[in-house]
Amino acid sequence: MAERPRILLTGWFGFLDGEATAGDVLALNRVQEALRRAGLDHDVAWSPGFRPRGPHLAKIRPEDYSHLVFVCGPLHGPQIEELHRRFAHCVRIAVGTSVVDPGSPAVTGFHRVLARDAPGTEPTPDLAAGAPALPACPVVGVILTHGQQEYGARRRHARVADEVTRWLSGLDCARLELETRLDVRDWRMCATPAQLESVLSRLDLVVTDRLHGMVLALRAGVPALAVDPVEGGAKVTAQARACGWPALVPAERLEASVLDQWWQWCAAVGRGRAREIGARFRRGVTVDGAEDLVQALRPGATVSR
């Protein structure tokens, strides 16, 4: 009876100075799915920069494996050539890869190359396209400010940005950094309010320490988890009160547990509340300074200080 293969999967996501792209990891998921369906056990070697807990390629014992499978990416360079030397006793297979130079030692070192594209061959679909379906996760706009020098010693902007972004990095959500500032020269920025509103309306939630980050999210009917970055509260706190929006965290109470509480509220009750506020804004049933301005400009209006 033939001995079952002992399989190690790796790729550019396994090298110390390599990188893990979404496509690489999805390609890996596709390969893992195929191996599991075939009843083939396997391990995955990661870069410590991406998966600190490992297992890591540099610390793996090559003699523990009979097969090395390299997943996705281009086949070139000394790092792949070193794999051939370290795992010389293994059957080495590349799958879902690009072949630039068929004569390169990085390519010829494999016993078999199942390329997605190579000179003189028909391309095949990338492995990532057929990866297992993924669960949806919230898409979160992040709008933070590092300015507002006018608040002087009351500013807590640096600490707020640091703690909020550290907290966000631990959540399973898709984070999208946004700016309320418009710019017609920088393609990365929105050039009109309509462009920004189109982005905001497609989000599940906004995390912000900016007044307009909160207001524009609510205008789009999207819940905003707002943090006031000024000690004692300032315009963000005032505007949350004016809008009737409760999901506000003062700088003095900025803790992960408090952020978690409002995150859960925004994802549940807050959705409906934000839609109601957005609908009210769109109907124009808000009392603001514009009507007062019209009155102040009428002939004979009293000027008060």
Side-chain angles (χ1 to χ4, degrees):
M1 184 175 179
E3 184 179 354
R4 292 178 62 82
R6 303 182 308 281
I7 304 167
L8 177 67
L9 306 179
T10 195
W12 285 98
F13 52 82
F15 295 136
L16 180 62
D17 55 352
E19 62 179 22
T21 71
D24 289 344
V25 176
L26 284 171
L28 173 66
N29 291 351
R30 173 69 182 98
V31 169
Q32 289 185 285
E33 177 193 46
L35 295 183
R36 281 193 290 266
R37 286 181 176 178
L40 295 173
D41 295 332
H42 56 275
D43 295 326
V44 179
W46 297 95
S47 164
F50 183 65
R51 292 282 176 86
R53 296 182 180 179
H56 300 145
L57 188 58
K59 295 185 177 181
I60 274 175
R61 294 173 6 124
E63 59 269 26
D64 290 341
Y65 299 95
S66 62
H67 290 69
L68 175 74
V69 177
F70 191 90
V71 180
C72 198
L75 297 181
H76 75 98
Q79 292 163 301
I80 295 180
E81 293 174 26
E82 175 60 22
L83 279 183
H84 294 314
R85 288 188 286 271
R86 280 193 67 202
F87 292 85
H89 69 285
C90 287
V91 174
R92 297 179 301 283
I93 302 172
V95 60
T97 52
S98 293
V99 174
V100 180
D101 177 7
S104 165
V107 177
T108 60
F110 286 102
H111 294 89
R112 189 167 184 187
V113 176
L114 305 172
R116 62 187 174 192
D117 58 90
T121 66
E122 282 294 313
T124 61
D126 184 76
L127 292 167
L134 301 174
C137 60
V139 181
V140 180
V142 183
I143 307 175
L144 301 175
T145 176
H146 300 276
Q148 301 180 344
Q149 304 299 325
E150 63 270 24
Y151 289 106
R154 297 170 61 202
R155 294 181 73 257
R156 298 294 180 267
H157 295 63
R159 182 175 70 84
V160 166
D162 181 64
E163 294 194 22
V164 166
T165 52
R166 188 185 314 118
W167 169 73
L168 278 168
S169 68
L171 298 179
D172 184 16
C173 64
R175 295 166 286 273
L176 181 63
E177 186 176 18
L178 298 173
E179 260 283 359
T180 58
R181 180 171 63 87
L182 304 178
D183 195 321
V184 298
R185 297 162 297 180
D186 188 341
W187 68 269
R188 294 167 295 185
M189 309 282 286
C190 291
T192 68
Q195 292 173 8
L196 179 58
E197 191 165 282
S198 293
V199 175
L200 292 172
S201 66
R202 288 163 169 79
L203 301 176
D204 295 304
L205 194 143
V206 168
V207 175
T208 184
D209 66 356
R210 303 199 69 149
L211 179 156
H212 281 126
M214 177 182 65
V215 171
L216 297 182
L218 294 177
R219 173 185 162 89
V222 175
L225 200 174
V227 179
D228 194 323
V230 179
E231 184 176 355
K235 60 185 179 181
V236 176
T237 297
Q239 196 57 215
R241 180 178 177 183
C243 293
W245 184 248
L248 173 76
V249 180
E252 301 90 324
R253 293 194 61 217
L254 186 56
E255 299 174 358
S257 60
V258 178
L259 292 169
D260 287 341
Q261 171 192 338
W262 282 117
W263 171 275
Q264 293 165 9
W265 184 88
C266 284
V269 178
R271 292 181 184 275
R273 183 78 65 87
R275 285 194 293 268
E276 291 172 3
I277 293 174
R280 190 172 76 237
F281 286 173
R282 289 189 295 275
R283 290 196 304 269
V285 292
T286 57
V287 178
D288 57 27
E291 297 301 329
D292 292 337
L293 173 63
V294 171
Q295 293 298 324
L297 292 174
R298 294 188 185 281
T302 302
V303 177
S304 60
R305 295 183 183 276

